[in-house]
Amino acid sequence: MAKTYVVKSAISLLRALAEAPAGAVPSTGTEAWYADYELNLRPEDAGASAIPWRLSAWQFQEDLANFYHYNGRPPLNPAYFTVMLPDAIQMQILQECPGLLISAAMLIAQVRLSAGDCSQAMALLQQTFQWLSDGQTALQPFALKEHRITEIVMKAAVMLPGWNVEAAVQRFLEKESSCSPAHVLKSCEDAKLDIVVAVCREDLSWLASFTTARIWIYAKCGLEAAQHPEHLLCVTKEDLPNLAMESLAYATHLERRYDSFADYTFFLQGAPFEHASPRLVQDAASAIQAGHYSVPFLHLNSRRFLAGSSFCLRDLYSRLLDAPAPEVFGSYCCSQFLVRRDRLLARPQALYARIVAILSGDFPLACAQDVKYDPRPRIAVSALFEHLWHVVLGEPPLLTPRRSNQRLPLFAQIDITEGALPDALKE
């Protein structure tokens, strides 16, 4: 069952807008609304045959044409699904419908290029060229021979009409010239990337790969419980009260470090991959280090809220921003995002101080937490910020889903949820 939010208008109760303890029951007098809603149906439970996974080649072909020629949405899910199939199945596709496999690999090569992963991008392109030339060609990374590429592409146009191989190769070559060595960290002040982590007792070993970033750890359950990989050089730890979940850590960082933000800042929870794809987070970090990234705001999480609103959310918005609240808000669950420095500075430091006061309980709101439902301190107001952080940081109230946001690099234009293709990307 989808998570339910419970609120009461005016000056009474607010259920914590986060996962409540098992068996929790809202207090009398509250009303329920859905944060999200989905039906998971199994045909076999109704006596019907199970529905197999199905990938329609003609639909993928049409989506590719719309992407390459009409600025359409890139069909990333079926492309990833195809290139992740077992080798035996790929060889079967190569015999029966080669355009499906080759065009999928070429699209994912462009995705890897957008994330600054030039070696994997070149490996994928090399694989497609070998398929097209029956294994008779080999490409050296970053040393493409123009006459050989032209020959292979002309062959592809004859072999695979309708699959837009020429357009795919052209787009790849336009971006391939931007491949350059990744940023090397010379000093902590030289870092392009900050990583803000709100932690209680979570395992922080996942930070090990972020060697060129400054790490800011805000410990909600004592500094001794926030152990980080020892090889990281640029780590700052601060103790915070265990209030308001991750939101207090984020707001505290924004207020205290206002004059020293890096070019980009990740705002993450102590166990970030419970909500976000590791691939998306790592790709964004790699693209920044490679100089390929310029997006002002990227929400990182998988689960999407339904667009909607509530009295308590509108009250918080109007008190925080001193403006009438919009009718509808829409974003992703659970507050993890990547933000460019100019967006952080677009709000005055005093606003971040006000957020700290709200989260700490020092600023009055019209709604109070239903502590009988969920007693965790200040979790309710923190959860309201799940619907509001993107607005504070410069996005419209109804945040464009990643898969529909063409401002984003290719690697980020994907939404993955449980049961969606391809689940393996969440690993």
Side-chain angles (χ1 to χ4, degrees), residues 197-207 217-229 237 242 245-246 250 268-275 336 376:
V197 185
V199 62
C200 183
R201 297 182 180 88
E202 295 89 349
D203 179 2
L204 297 181
S205 60
W206 57 269
L207 284 169
I217 296 174
Y218 292 90
K220 310 292 289 296
C221 301
L223 293 174
E224 68 283 354
Q227 299 300 313
H228 65 277
K237 291 185 181 181
N242 193 10
M245 306 300 281
E246 70 282 340
Y250 297 175
L268 300 174
Q269 299 172 20
F273 306 131
E274 291 182 359
H275 301 294
Q336 297 192 117
R376 290 174 289 178

Coordinates of all heavy atoms in Angstrom, one line a residue, residues 197-207 217-229 237 242 245-246 250 268-275 336 376:
V197 N 26.6 15.3 4.2 CA 26.0 14.0 4.6 C 25.3 14.2 6.0 O 26.0 14.6 6.9 CB 27.0 12.9 4.6 CG1 26.3 11.6 4.9 CG2 27.8 12.8 3.3
A198 N 24.1 13.9 6.1 CA 23.4 13.8 7.4 C 23.4 12.4 7.9 O 22.8 11.5 7.2 CB 22.0 14.3 7.2
V199 N 24.1 12.1 9.0 CA 24.3 10.7 9.4 C 23.9 10.6 10.8 O 24.1 11.4 11.7 CB 25.8 10.3 9.1 CG1 26.7 11.2 10.0 CG2 26.0 8.9 9.4
C200 N 23.4 9.4 11.1 CA 23.2 9.0 12.5 C 24.2 7.8 12.8 O 25.3 8.1 13.2 CB 21.8 8.5 12.8 SG 21.4 8.1 14.5
R201 N 23.9 6.6 12.4 CA 24.8 5.5 12.6 C 25.0 4.7 11.4 O 25.4 3.5 11.4 CB 24.3 4.6 13.8 CG 24.2 5.3 15.1 CD 23.7 4.4 16.2 NE 23.6 5.0 17.5 CZ 22.6 5.7 17.9 NH1 21.5 5.8 17.1 NH2 22.6 6.3 19.1
E202 N 24.8 5.3 10.2 CA 24.9 4.6 9.0 C 26.3 4.3 8.6 O 27.3 5.0 9.0 CB 24.2 5.4 7.8 CG 22.7 5.5 8.0 CD 22.3 6.8 8.7 OE1 23.2 7.4 9.4 OE2 21.1 7.1 8.7
D203 N 26.6 3.3 7.8 CA 27.9 2.9 7.3 C 28.3 3.9 6.2 O 27.6 4.0 5.2 CB 27.8 1.5 6.8 CG 29.2 1.0 6.2 OD1 30.2 1.8 6.2 OD2 29.2 -0.1 5.7
L204 N 29.4 4.6 6.4 CA 29.8 5.6 5.4 C 30.9 5.2 4.5 O 31.5 6.0 3.8 CB 30.2 6.9 6.1 CG 29.2 7.6 7.0 CD1 29.8 8.9 7.6 CD2 28.0 8.0 6.1
S205 N 31.0 3.9 4.3 CA 32.1 3.3 3.4 C 31.8 3.7 2.0 O 32.7 3.8 1.2 CB 32.2 1.8 3.6 OG 30.9 1.2 3.2
W206 N 30.6 4.0 1.6 CA 30.2 4.4 0.3 C 30.9 5.7 -0.1 O 31.0 6.0 -1.3 CB 28.7 4.6 0.1 CG 28.1 5.5 1.0 CD1 27.6 5.3 2.3 CD2 27.9 6.9 0.8 NE1 27.1 6.4 2.8 CE2 27.2 7.5 2.0 CE3 28.2 7.8 -0.2 CZ2 26.9 8.8 2.1 CZ3 27.9 9.1 -0.1 CH2 27.2 9.6 1.0
L207 N 31.4 6.5 0.8 CA 32.1 7.7 0.5 C 33.5 7.5 0.0 O 34.2 8.4 -0.5 CB 32.3 8.6 1.8 CG 31.0 9.4 2.2 CD1 31.2 9.9 3.6 CD2 30.7 10.5 1.2
I217 N 30.3 16.1 7.1 CA 29.5 15.1 7.9 C 28.9 15.8 9.0 O 29.5 16.4 9.9 CB 30.4 14.0 8.3 CG1 31.0 13.2 7.1 CG2 29.6 13.0 9.2 CD1 31.9 12.1 7.4
Y218 N 27.5 15.8 9.1 CA 26.8 16.3 10.2 C 26.2 15.2 10.9 O 25.3 14.5 10.5 CB 25.7 17.3 9.6 CG 26.3 18.5 9.0 CD1 26.6 18.6 7.7 CD2 26.5 19.6 9.8 CE1 27.2 19.7 7.1 CE2 27.1 20.8 9.3 CZ 27.4 20.8 7.9 OH 28.0 21.9 7.4
A219 N 26.8 14.9 12.1 CA 26.5 13.8 12.9 C 25.3 14.0 13.9 O 25.4 14.9 14.7 CB 27.7 13.3 13.7
K220 N 24.2 13.3 13.7 CA 23.0 13.5 14.5 C 23.0 12.6 15.7 O 22.2 12.8 16.6 CB 21.8 13.2 13.6 CG 21.8 13.8 12.2 CD 21.6 15.3 12.4 CE 20.2 15.8 12.8 NZ 19.1 15.4 11.9
C221 N 23.9 11.6 15.8 CA 23.9 10.7 16.9 C 25.3 10.6 17.6 O 25.7 9.5 18.1 CB 23.4 9.3 16.5 SG 21.8 9.3 15.7
G222 N 26.0 11.6 17.5 CA 27.4 11.7 18.1 C 28.5 11.5 17.1 O 28.3 10.7 16.1
L223 N 29.6 12.2 17.3 CA 30.7 12.1 16.3 C 31.3 10.7 16.2 O 31.7 10.3 15.2 CB 31.7 13.2 16.7 CG 31.3 14.6 16.5 CD1 32.4 15.6 17.1 CD2 31.0 15.0 15.0
E224 N 31.3 10.1 17.3 CA 31.9 8.7 17.4 C 31.2 7.7 16.5 O 31.7 6.7 16.1 CB 32.1 8.2 18.8 CG 30.8 7.9 19.5 CD 30.0 9.1 20.0 OE1 30.6 10.2 19.9 OE2 28.9 9.0 20.4
A225 N 29.9 8.0 16.2 CA 29.1 7.1 15.4 C 29.2 7.4 13.9 O 28.5 6.8 13.1 CB 27.6 7.2 15.9
A226 N 29.9 8.4 13.6 CA 30.0 8.9 12.2 C 31.5 8.6 11.7 O 32.2 9.5 11.5 CB 29.6 10.3 12.0
Q227 N 31.8 7.4 11.4 CA 33.1 7.0 11.0 C 33.2 7.0 9.5 O 32.4 6.4 8.8 CB 33.5 5.6 11.5 CG 33.5 5.5 13.1 CD 34.5 6.5 13.6 OE1 35.7 6.6 13.2 NE2 34.1 7.3 14.7
H228 N 34.2 7.7 8.9 CA 34.4 7.8 7.5 C 35.6 7.1 7.0 O 36.5 6.8 7.8 CB 34.4 9.2 7.0 CG 35.6 9.9 7.6 ND1 35.7 10.5 8.8 CD2 36.8 10.2 7.0 CE1 36.9 11.0 9.0 NE2 37.6 10.9 7.9
P229 N 35.8 6.7 5.7 CA 37.0 6.1 5.2 C 38.2 7.0 5.5 O 38.2 8.2 5.3 CB 36.7 6.0 3.7 CG 35.3 5.9 3.6 CD 34.7 6.8 4.7
K237 N 33.7 17.3 10.3 CA 32.6 16.7 11.0 C 32.1 17.8 12.0 O 32.8 18.5 12.6 CB 33.1 15.5 11.8 CG 33.4 14.3 11.0 CD 33.7 13.1 11.9 CE 34.1 11.9 11.1 NZ 34.4 10.7 12.0
N242 N 19.7 15.5 17.2 CA 19.0 14.5 16.4 C 17.5 15.0 16.2 O 16.6 14.4 16.7 CB 19.0 13.1 17.0 CG 18.6 12.1 16.0 OD1 18.4 12.3 14.8 ND2 18.4 10.9 16.5
M245 N 15.5 15.1 11.0 CA 16.1 14.2 10.0 C 17.2 14.9 9.2 O 18.0 15.6 9.8 CB 15.0 13.7 9.0 CG 13.8 13.1 9.7 SD 14.3 11.6 10.7 CE 14.4 10.4 9.3
E246 N 17.3 14.7 7.9 CA 18.4 15.3 7.1 C 18.2 16.8 6.9 O 19.2 17.5 6.7 CB 18.5 14.6 5.7 CG 17.3 14.9 4.8 CD 16.1 14.1 5.1 OE1 16.1 13.1 5.7 OE2 15.0 14.5 4.6
Y250 N 21.1 19.8 6.2 CA 21.2 20.6 5.0 C 21.1 22.1 5.3 O 21.9 22.9 4.8 CB 20.1 20.2 4.1 CG 20.0 18.8 3.6 CD1 19.0 18.4 2.8 CD2 21.1 17.9 3.9 CE1 18.9 17.1 2.3 CE2 21.0 16.6 3.4 CZ 20.0 16.2 2.6 OH 19.9 14.9 2.1
L268 N 23.1 14.7 0.8 CA 22.8 13.2 0.9 C 22.5 12.8 2.3 O 23.0 13.4 3.3 CB 23.9 12.5 0.3 CG 24.4 12.7 -1.1 CD1 25.6 12.0 -1.5 CD2 23.2 12.4 -2.1
Q269 N 21.7 11.7 2.4 CA 21.5 11.0 3.7 C 22.6 10.0 4.0 O 23.4 9.7 3.1 CB 20.2 10.4 3.7 CG 19.0 11.3 3.5 CD 17.7 10.6 3.3 OE1 17.5 9.4 3.6 NE2 16.7 11.3 2.7
G270 N 22.7 9.5 5.2 CA 23.7 8.6 5.6 C 23.7 7.3 4.8 O 24.8 6.7 4.6
A271 N 22.6 6.9 4.3 CA 22.4 5.7 3.5 C 21.7 6.1 2.2 O 20.6 5.8 1.9 CB 21.7 4.6 4.2
P272 N 22.4 6.9 1.3 CA 21.8 7.5 0.2 C 21.2 6.6 -0.8 O 20.2 7.0 -1.5 CB 22.9 8.3 -0.5 CG 24.2 7.6 -0.1 CD 23.9 7.1 1.3
F273 N 21.7 5.4 -0.9 CA 21.2 4.5 -2.0 C 20.0 3.7 -1.6 O 19.5 2.9 -2.4 CB 22.4 3.6 -2.5 CG 23.6 4.4 -2.8 CD1 24.8 4.1 -2.4 CD2 23.5 5.5 -3.6 CE1 25.9 4.8 -2.7 CE2 24.6 6.3 -4.0 CZ 25.8 5.9 -3.5
E274 N 19.4 4.0 -0.5 CA 18.1 3.5 -0.2 C 17.0 4.2 -1.0 O 15.9 3.7 -1.2 CB 17.8 3.7 1.3 CG 18.6 2.8 2.3 CD 18.2 3.0 3.7 OE1 17.3 3.8 4.0 OE2 18.7 2.3 4.6
H275 N 17.4 5.4 -1.5 CA 16.5 6.2 -2.3 C 17.0 6.6 -3.6 O 16.2 6.9 -4.5 CB 16.1 7.5 -1.5 CG 15.6 7.3 -0.1 ND1 14.3 6.7 0.1 CD2 16.1 7.6 1.1 CE1 14.1 6.7 1.3 NE2 15.1 7.2 2.0
Q336 N 17.2 14.3 -1.5 CA 18.6 14.2 -1.9 C 18.8 14.8 -3.2 O 18.0 14.5 -4.2 CB 19.0 12.7 -1.9 CG 19.0 12.0 -0.6 CD 19.7 10.7 -0.6 OE1 20.6 10.5 0.2 NE2 19.2 9.8 -1.4
R376 N 9.3 10.7 16.5 CA 10.7 11.2 16.2 C 10.7 12.7 16.1 O 9.9 13.3 15.4 CB 11.2 10.5 14.9 CG 11.4 9.0 15.0 CD 11.8 8.4 13.7 NE 10.6 8.3 12.8 CZ 10.6 7.8 11.6 NH1 11.8 7.4 11.1 NH2 9.6 7.7 10.8

